[in-house]
Amino acid sequence: MGYPLPRPPAPRIPRPVARRHIYSPRDWGIGMTVCVAAICDGGTGPSSAIVTASDRLLTWGYSSSETALKAARLAPTWLTMIAGDDVTAGVEDVIRDARLALAEYAEDSPGIVEVQGAILGAWRNVQTHKAEIAVLNPFDLGMSEFTQTGRKRFGTATFLEMAERMRVVSKVDAQLLVCGFDNNQVPALLVCEDDVGCRDYTRADFVAIGSGHTSAIANL
């Protein structure tokens, strides 16, 4: 009579290892986006610097990606960050036009007035182009011709209706957080958007844009 063979050992099931969660702005709210800039050392010391941070969510039309860099260079010591619902709505054109306007400062750094002027001029050009394409293109009109002869050509009611439609369709629907140093190493923080132009937040030492700007500023 033989002895029973021993049972094989029960297989050991490895315990799952919990991965450390890496927090992102999406943990603060679905679809939230935020860009932050802060001046260090009061903007006056030898180690003066501007620290920037942002999420990487970029949206265009019905698509989005979380691998985009939101910073773009404007001039040697100036950059801008983007927040908006759709980057195809004209904000890239604003950045491109402003960069061309500041190209003369290839070696020196433009001042805050020059940067504001470049951004506002580029924003106005993009808005005019969008309005002309969407509203005036079927009539083979430009903006200047419309403002001079549009009321007589279309009548007051239609003229005002077209003007309101142009105001709506010309919006860039984005924010730009512009930061940098002038030729004297003086820092500046600007926020540029539709209807309000470029506001100066330098004295506050920090600013944020995007749908999460309220939480970011509260924490700062």
Side-chain angles (χ1 to χ4, degrees):
M1 182 175 179
Y3 293 98
L5 295 175
R7 292 183 178 180
R12 296 185 60 185
I13 301 176
R15 181 177 298 177
V17 179
R19 294 184 177 181
R20 184 173 66 90
H21 179 67
I22 300 176
Y23 288 93
S24 69
R26 279 186 173 271
D27 293 304
W28 303 351
I30 298 175
M32 196 210 70
T33 181
V34 66
C35 300
V36 181
I39 300 173
C40 301
D41 201 17
T44 58
S47 59
S48 178
I50 298 177
V51 177
T52 63
S54 75
D55 67 289
R56 304 187 72 177
L57 177 64
L58 201 62
T59 305
W60 60 96
Y62 296 101
S63 302
S64 64
S65 169
E66 292 197 24
T67 60
L69 292 177
K70 292 191 172 181
R73 183 73 61 182
L74 290 177
T77 58
W78 289 85
L79 62 82
T80 182
M81 292 188 290
I82 309 165
D85 294 331
D86 189 350
V87 297
T88 66
V91 66
E92 291 290 348
D93 296 324
V94 172
I95 295 172
R96 190 179 301 111
D97 287 357
R99 188 183 293 127
L100 289 175
L102 296 172
E104 60 180 292
Y105 301 95
E107 297 180 359
D108 298 328
S109 298
I112 185 172
V113 175
E114 289 76 18
V115 173
Q116 280 181 313
I119 293 289
L120 290 175
W123 207 290
R124 183 168 54 250
N125 291 340
V126 170
Q127 287 182 314
T128 299
H129 180 69
K130 292 182 66 176
E132 289 177 342
I133 293 296
V135 180
L136 301 180
N137 199 48
F139 305 100
D140 194 24
L141 287 175
M143 184 63 73
S144 60
E145 187 177 359
F146 173 76
T147 56
Q148 293 173 8
T149 66
R151 189 183 296 270
K152 181 178 180 180
R153 179 172 178 176
F154 300 106
T156 299
T158 303
F159 174 81
L160 294 177
E161 181 182 344
M162 293 172 68
E164 175 61 18
R165 185 183 171 202
M166 285 191 289
R167 187 190 69 83
V168 173
V169 301
S170 67
K171 289 184 178 296
V172 178
D173 287 329
Q175 293 176 299
L176 292 181
L177 198 170
V178 181
C179 56
F181 294 87
D182 65 13
N183 204 31
N184 296 317
Q185 295 300 306
V186 177
L189 301 175
L190 303 172
V191 173
C192 308
E193 55 188 313
D194 289 315
D195 301 328
V196 297
C198 288
R199 292 173 293 179
D200 189 348
Y201 286 86
T202 305
R203 190 170 294 277
D205 282 347
F206 60 85
V207 69
I209 62 173
S211 58
H213 77 281
T214 303
S215 298
I217 290 177
N219 280 279
L220 289 170

